[in-house]
Amino acid sequence: MDTDINNVFEGLLDCPQLKGFVKVVGIWELILKEQTIKIKVTYDYKTTYYSYAVSHYYQGPTDDKPNIPRKIIDDTSNGILKRAVRIILSVYDTDYVGGKWVTNKEF
């Protein structure tokens, strides 16, 4: 991952004032029947892992709040993107009546 950037931050990532430095690797759109979900993949230079965020969470008809997955990390951007898609599809069921997509205001 960006060796030039790593050289810039060499020695700085342990600085107590710096919480981290994250690069947005890309944003993809997962187009479902009822909603388009944006998936943002980021790389954290401090932890050296990839993670993701989504534009919407699914709230099932009997749930009192949307299903927000726990933080997931992976060694590769492809790996985290695959995991994100699997998680989204695992919580969304087109047969649910009354479920809804809730906007992630922190996206």
Side-chain angles (χ1 to χ4, degrees), residues 60-74:
T62 59
D63 300 331
D64 59 345
K65 60 183 179 179
N67 184 325
I68 301 173
R70 60 182 166 71
K71 184 161 176 104
I72 304 287
I73 59 173
D74 202 288

Side-chain angles (χ1 to χ4, degrees), residues 9-35:
F9 291 105
E10 187 176 342
L12 294 177
L13 290 177
D14 293 328
C15 180
Q17 298 96 320
L18 185 62
K19 183 176 179 182
F21 189 79
V22 177
K23 176 182 181 177
V24 175
V25 175
I27 298 176
W28 290 265
E29 291 186 353
L30 180 62
I31 302 169
L32 303 174
K33 290 180 180 179
E34 298 174 2
Q35 181 71 46

Side-chain angles (χ1 to χ4, degrees), residues 22-72:
V22 177
K23 176 182 181 177
V24 175
V25 175
I27 298 176
W28 290 265
E29 291 186 353
L30 180 62
I31 302 169
L32 303 174
K33 290 180 180 179
E34 298 174 2
Q35 181 71 46
T36 296
I37 309 297
K38 292 182 180 180
I39 303 169
K40 178 172 42 178
V41 172
T42 56
Y43 176 79
D44 187 318
Y45 285 92
K46 198 165 190 169
T47 65
T48 68
Y49 287 113
Y50 293 87
S51 62
Y52 78 95
V54 294
S55 62
H56 293 77
Y57 299 120
Y58 189 72
Q59 182 173 341
T62 59
D63 300 331
D64 59 345
K65 60 183 179 179
N67 184 325
I68 301 173
R70 60 182 166 71
K71 184 161 176 104
I72 304 287

